[in-house]
Protein backbone atom coordinates (compact mmCIF):
# COMPACT_ATOMS: atom_id res chain seq x y z
CA UNK A 1 0.00 0.00 0.00
CA UNK A 2 1.31 3.42 -0.92
CA UNK A 3 0.36 6.83 0.41
CA UNK A 4 -1.68 9.51 -1.32
CA UNK A 5 0.98 11.72 -2.84
CA UNK A 6 -0.37 15.17 -3.82
CA UNK A 7 0.74 17.27 -6.77
CA UNK A 8 3.87 18.67 -5.14
CA UNK A 9 4.28 21.33 -7.81
CA UNK A 10 0.93 23.07 -7.38
CA UNK A 11 2.22 26.12 -5.49
CA UNK A 12 1.39 24.95 -1.97
CA UNK A 13 4.01 24.29 0.71
CA UNK A 14 4.26 20.62 1.63
CA UNK A 15 5.67 19.86 5.05
CA UNK A 16 7.81 16.80 5.83
CA UNK A 17 8.64 15.43 9.27
CA UNK A 18 11.84 13.35 9.64
CA UNK A 19 11.76 9.98 11.40
CA UNK A 20 15.18 8.80 12.60
CA UNK A 21 14.56 5.73 14.74
CA UNK A 22 17.32 3.44 15.99
CA UNK A 23 15.20 0.35 16.73
CA UNK A 24 11.70 -0.99 16.10
CA UNK A 25 10.16 0.39 19.28
CA UNK A 26 11.62 3.80 18.48
CA UNK A 27 10.34 3.51 14.92
CA UNK A 28 6.79 2.79 16.07
CA UNK A 29 6.88 5.66 18.56
CA UNK A 30 8.34 8.24 16.18
CA UNK A 31 6.08 7.23 13.29
CA UNK A 32 2.97 7.37 15.47
CA UNK A 33 3.91 10.81 16.81
CA UNK A 34 4.61 12.04 13.29
CA UNK A 35 1.27 10.71 12.07
CA UNK A 36 -0.56 12.49 14.89
CA UNK A 37 0.93 15.81 13.71
CA UNK A 38 -0.58 15.36 10.24
CA UNK A 39 2.44 15.99 7.99
CA UNK A 40 2.10 16.06 4.22
CA UNK A 41 4.92 13.50 4.09
CA UNK A 42 7.48 11.89 6.37
CA UNK A 43 11.12 11.21 5.60
CA UNK A 44 12.19 7.89 7.03
CA UNK A 45 15.95 8.06 7.54
CA UNK A 46 16.47 4.32 7.40
CA UNK A 47 20.23 4.68 7.89
CA UNK A 48 19.53 5.38 11.57
CA UNK A 49 17.88 1.97 12.13
CA UNK A 50 20.23 -0.63 13.57
CA UNK A 51 20.02 -3.76 11.40
CA UNK A 52 18.72 -2.03 8.26
CA UNK A 53 21.34 -4.05 6.36
CA UNK A 54 19.46 -7.26 7.27
CA UNK A 55 16.50 -8.32 5.13
CA UNK A 56 14.30 -9.42 8.03
CA UNK A 57 14.79 -6.10 9.83
CA UNK A 58 14.07 -3.87 6.86
CA UNK A 59 11.11 -5.97 5.73
CA UNK A 60 9.52 -5.67 9.17
CA UNK A 61 10.37 -1.97 9.38
CA UNK A 62 8.92 -1.17 5.95
CA UNK A 63 5.65 -2.93 6.73
CA UNK A 64 5.49 -1.39 10.21
CA UNK A 65 6.01 2.21 9.15
CA UNK A 66 3.63 1.86 6.21
CA UNK A 67 0.96 0.43 8.49
CA UNK A 68 1.32 3.29 10.95
CA UNK A 69 1.45 6.08 8.37
CA UNK A 70 -1.62 4.89 6.47
CA UNK A 71 -2.08 7.10 3.42
CA UNK A 72 0.62 9.62 4.48
CA UNK A 73 3.39 9.53 1.85
CA UNK A 74 6.80 8.19 2.84
CA UNK A 75 10.11 9.50 1.52
CA UNK A 76 12.68 6.74 2.00
CA UNK A 77 16.26 7.83 2.63
CA UNK A 78 19.38 5.83 3.35
CA UNK A 79 21.92 8.62 3.71
CA UNK A 80 25.58 8.02 2.84
CA UNK A 81 27.85 7.90 5.89
CA UNK A 82 30.10 10.45 4.16
CA UNK A 83 27.06 12.70 3.81
CA UNK A 84 26.23 12.64 7.54
CA UNK A 85 24.50 9.28 7.46
CA UNK A 86 24.28 7.29 10.69
CA UNK A 87 25.89 4.01 9.58
CA UNK A 88 28.89 3.20 7.42
CA UNK A 89 27.16 0.86 4.96
CA UNK A 90 28.90 -0.43 1.86
CA UNK A 91 27.77 0.80 -1.55
CA UNK A 92 26.41 -2.64 -2.44
CA UNK A 93 24.43 -2.87 0.80
CA UNK A 94 23.04 0.61 0.25
CA UNK A 95 21.83 -0.34 -3.24
CA UNK A 96 20.25 -3.50 -1.80
CA UNK A 97 18.41 -1.41 0.81
CA UNK A 98 17.16 1.14 -1.73
CA UNK A 99 15.99 -1.49 -4.19
CA UNK A 100 14.20 -3.45 -1.47
CA UNK A 101 12.37 -0.29 -0.42
CA UNK A 102 11.43 0.68 -3.97
CA UNK A 103 9.95 -2.75 -4.72
CA UNK A 104 8.21 -3.13 -1.33
CA UNK A 105 5.01 -1.23 -2.23
CA UNK A 106 5.52 0.64 1.05
CA UNK A 107 7.16 3.92 -0.03
CA UNK A 108 6.25 6.79 -2.32
CA UNK A 109 9.55 8.60 -2.91
CA UNK A 110 13.15 7.36 -2.79
CA UNK A 111 16.18 9.57 -2.09
CA UNK A 112 19.56 9.18 -3.79
CA UNK A 113 22.57 11.48 -3.52
CA UNK A 114 23.80 13.27 -6.63
CA UNK A 115 27.32 11.76 -6.49
CA UNK A 116 25.81 8.35 -7.37
CA UNK A 117 25.52 9.46 -10.99
CA UNK A 118 26.12 6.05 -12.54
CA UNK A 119 23.55 4.32 -10.35
CA UNK A 120 20.84 6.99 -10.60
CA UNK A 121 19.44 5.84 -13.99
CA UNK A 122 19.15 2.27 -12.67
CA UNK A 123 17.32 3.38 -9.54
CA UNK A 124 15.13 5.80 -11.50
CA UNK A 125 13.98 3.03 -13.86
CA UNK A 126 13.23 0.64 -11.00
CA UNK A 127 11.44 3.35 -9.04
CA UNK A 128 9.19 4.35 -11.93
CA UNK A 129 8.39 0.70 -12.69
CA UNK A 130 7.11 0.46 -9.12
CA UNK A 131 5.22 3.75 -8.98
CA UNK A 132 7.84 5.49 -6.83
CA UNK A 133 9.19 9.01 -7.43
CA UNK A 134 12.92 9.72 -7.48
CA UNK A 135 14.41 12.51 -5.36
CA UNK A 136 18.01 13.45 -6.15
CA UNK A 137 19.78 15.22 -3.27
CA UNK A 138 22.85 17.41 -3.02
CA UNK A 139 24.24 18.72 0.29
CA UNK A 140 27.02 21.20 0.90
CA UNK A 141 27.62 21.26 4.65
CA UNK A 142 30.29 23.97 4.52
CA UNK A 143 29.25 26.85 2.29
CA UNK A 144 26.98 28.23 -0.41
CA UNK A 145 28.68 28.15 -3.83
CA UNK A 146 28.31 30.73 -6.56
CA UNK A 147 24.99 31.18 -8.31
CA UNK A 148 26.48 29.60 -11.42
CA UNK A 149 27.62 26.54 -9.49
CA UNK A 150 24.26 26.19 -7.77
CA UNK A 151 22.43 26.47 -11.08
CA UNK A 152 24.66 23.74 -12.52
CA UNK A 153 23.77 21.45 -9.60
CA UNK A 154 20.04 22.07 -10.07
CA UNK A 155 20.36 21.50 -13.81
CA UNK A 156 22.27 18.25 -13.34
CA UNK A 157 19.65 16.85 -10.95
CA UNK A 158 16.98 17.81 -13.48
CA UNK A 159 18.84 16.28 -16.42
CA UNK A 160 19.39 13.04 -14.49
CA UNK A 161 15.61 12.73 -14.25
CA UNK A 162 14.81 13.76 -10.69
CA UNK A 163 11.07 13.90 -10.04
CA UNK A 164 11.92 16.03 -6.99
CA UNK A 165 15.11 18.08 -6.70
CA UNK A 166 16.76 18.63 -3.32
CA UNK A 167 19.70 20.91 -2.69
CA UNK A 168 20.93 22.14 0.67
CA UNK A 169 23.68 24.67 1.35
CA UNK A 170 25.35 26.16 4.43
CA UNK A 171 24.98 29.95 4.40
CA UNK A 172 27.72 32.18 5.73
CA UNK A 173 25.42 35.21 5.57
CA UNK A 174 21.78 36.10 4.96
CA UNK A 175 22.93 37.10 1.49
CA UNK A 176 23.74 33.44 0.83
CA UNK A 177 20.17 32.52 1.77
CA UNK A 178 18.89 35.12 -0.67
CA UNK A 179 21.13 33.76 -3.42
CA UNK A 180 19.77 30.22 -3.04
CA UNK A 181 16.27 31.65 -3.41
CA UNK A 182 17.40 33.72 -6.39
CA UNK A 183 18.72 30.62 -8.15
CA UNK A 184 15.57 28.63 -7.42
CA UNK A 185 13.16 31.34 -8.51
CA UNK A 186 15.14 32.10 -11.68
CA UNK A 187 15.20 28.41 -12.65
CA UNK A 188 11.46 28.11 -12.03
CA UNK A 189 10.77 31.19 -14.13
CA UNK A 190 12.87 29.84 -17.00
CA UNK A 191 12.92 26.03 -17.22
CA UNK A 192 12.41 24.20 -13.90
CA UNK A 193 9.00 22.50 -13.90
CA UNK A 194 9.48 20.03 -11.03
CA UNK A 195 9.08 20.39 -7.25
CA UNK A 196 12.09 21.24 -5.11
CA UNK A 197 13.38 21.00 -1.56
CA UNK A 198 15.50 24.17 -1.54
CA UNK A 199 17.28 24.49 1.80
CA UNK A 200 19.62 26.89 3.57
CA UNK A 201 20.83 25.29 6.77
CA UNK A 202 21.72 26.47 10.25
CA UNK A 203 20.52 29.50 12.18
CA UNK A 204 21.00 31.90 9.27
CA UNK A 205 18.95 29.59 7.08
CA UNK A 206 15.98 29.59 9.46
CA UNK A 207 14.32 32.31 7.37
CA UNK A 208 14.31 29.94 4.39
CA UNK A 209 12.13 27.56 6.38
CA UNK A 210 9.82 30.22 7.75
CA UNK A 211 9.34 31.86 4.32
CA UNK A 212 10.06 28.79 2.21
CA UNK A 213 7.21 29.08 -0.27
CA UNK A 214 7.97 32.75 -0.93
CA UNK A 215 11.60 31.79 -1.59
CA UNK A 216 10.73 29.15 -4.15
CA UNK A 217 10.64 25.83 -2.32
CA UNK A 218 7.73 23.40 -2.69
CA UNK A 219 8.68 21.19 0.23
CA UNK A 220 10.27 21.84 3.59
CA UNK A 221 11.15 20.04 6.78
CA UNK A 222 9.50 20.75 10.10
CA UNK A 223 9.94 19.41 13.60
CA UNK A 224 7.72 17.96 16.28
CA UNK A 225 10.39 18.44 18.93
CA UNK A 226 13.40 20.59 19.79
CA UNK A 227 15.49 20.79 16.61
CA UNK A 228 16.73 23.46 14.22
CA UNK A 229 13.51 22.97 12.25
CA UNK A 230 10.42 25.05 12.92
CA UNK A 231 7.57 23.15 14.62
CA UNK A 232 5.07 21.96 12.02
CA UNK A 233 2.13 23.85 13.55
CA UNK A 234 4.09 27.11 13.69
CA UNK A 235 5.42 26.65 10.17
CA UNK A 236 1.94 26.24 8.72
CA UNK A 237 0.69 29.32 10.58
CA UNK A 238 3.62 31.41 9.38
CA UNK A 239 3.23 30.24 5.80
CA UNK A 240 -0.44 31.21 5.86
CA UNK A 241 0.33 34.60 7.41
CA UNK A 242 2.98 35.40 4.79
CA UNK A 243 1.28 34.17 1.63
CA UNK A 244 -2.31 33.53 2.65
Amino acid sequence: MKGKLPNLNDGALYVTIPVMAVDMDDLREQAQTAKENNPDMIEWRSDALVGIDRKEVRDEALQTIRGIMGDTPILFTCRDFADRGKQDLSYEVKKEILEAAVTSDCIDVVDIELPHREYIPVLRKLAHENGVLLLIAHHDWNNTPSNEEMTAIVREEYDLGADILKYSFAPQSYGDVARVAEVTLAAKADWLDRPVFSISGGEKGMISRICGRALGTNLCFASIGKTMQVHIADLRKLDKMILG
Side-chain angles (χ1 to χ4, degrees), residues 146-218:
S146 70
N147 287 26
E148 292 75 17
E149 290 172 305
M150 284 191 283
T151 300
I153 289 165
V154 178
R155 186 82 230 191
E156 184 175 13
E157 290 185 354
Y158 184 91
D159 289 343
L160 283 167
D163 299 299
I164 303 170
L165 292 74
K166 180 187 176 191
Y167 40 97
S168 176
F169 303 104
Q172 305 305 306
S173 67
Y174 291 111
D176 284 346
V177 179
R179 289 195 302 106
V180 175
E182 180 183 357
V183 166
T184 300
L185 292 168
K188 285 191 164 188
D190 188 15
W191 54 268
L192 180 56
D193 59 358
R194 297 171 197 167
V196 301
F197 265 115
S198 173
I199 300 167
S200 288
E203 292 184 5
K204 289 185 174 67
M206 184 69 72
I207 190 68
S208 72
R209 296 184 279 283
I210 294 171
C211 303
R213 187 157 56 111
L215 300 180
T217 194
N218 302 95

Side-chain angles (χ1 to χ4, degrees), residues 34-92:
K35 178 68 175 176
E36 290 168 0
N37 280 270
N38 194 32
D40 299 303
M41 184 162 67
I42 67 159
E43 180 189 35
W44 176 28
R45 280 283 304 274
S46 67
D47 55 285
L49 185 69
V50 175
I52 192 64
D53 55 332
R54 303 201 305 271
K55 182 179 185 302
E56 64 274 16
V57 172
R58 61 175 172 264
D59 286 353
E60 180 185 2
L62 282 161
Q63 294 296 326
T64 296
I65 197 166
R66 178 78 276 166
I68 292 170
M69 297 315 301
D71 60 5
T72 301
I74 296 173
L75 162 61
F76 182 90
T77 299
C78 185
R79 183 65 65 228
D80 283 349
F81 187 67
D83 203 7
R84 297 192 175 181
K86 299 301 182 182
Q87 296 183 59
D88 192 3
L89 303 167
S90 73
Y91 183 43
E92 290 304 316

Side-chain angles (χ1 to χ4, degrees), residues 8-38:
L8 298 173
N9 206 28
D10 64 1
L13 182 69
Y14 290 97
V15 184
T16 299
I17 291 176
V19 170
M20 296 184 66
V22 298
D23 57 35
M24 289 302 302
D25 288 340
D26 194 18
L27 183 68
R28 292 184 186 95
E29 182 179 350
Q30 287 194 35
Q32 186 60 49
T33 302
K35 178 68 175 176
E36 290 168 0
N37 280 270
N38 194 32

Side-chain angles (χ1 to χ4, degrees), residues 211-239:
C211 303
R213 187 157 56 111
L215 300 180
T217 194
N218 302 95
L219 303 104
C220 67
F221 289 107
S223 78
I224 49 178
K226 295 181 179 180
T227 72
M228 279 301 299
Q229 308 296 345
V230 183
H231 192 280
I232 185 170
D234 295 330
L235 184 60
R236 284 178 166 153
K237 288 177 185 176
L238 289 164
D239 178 65

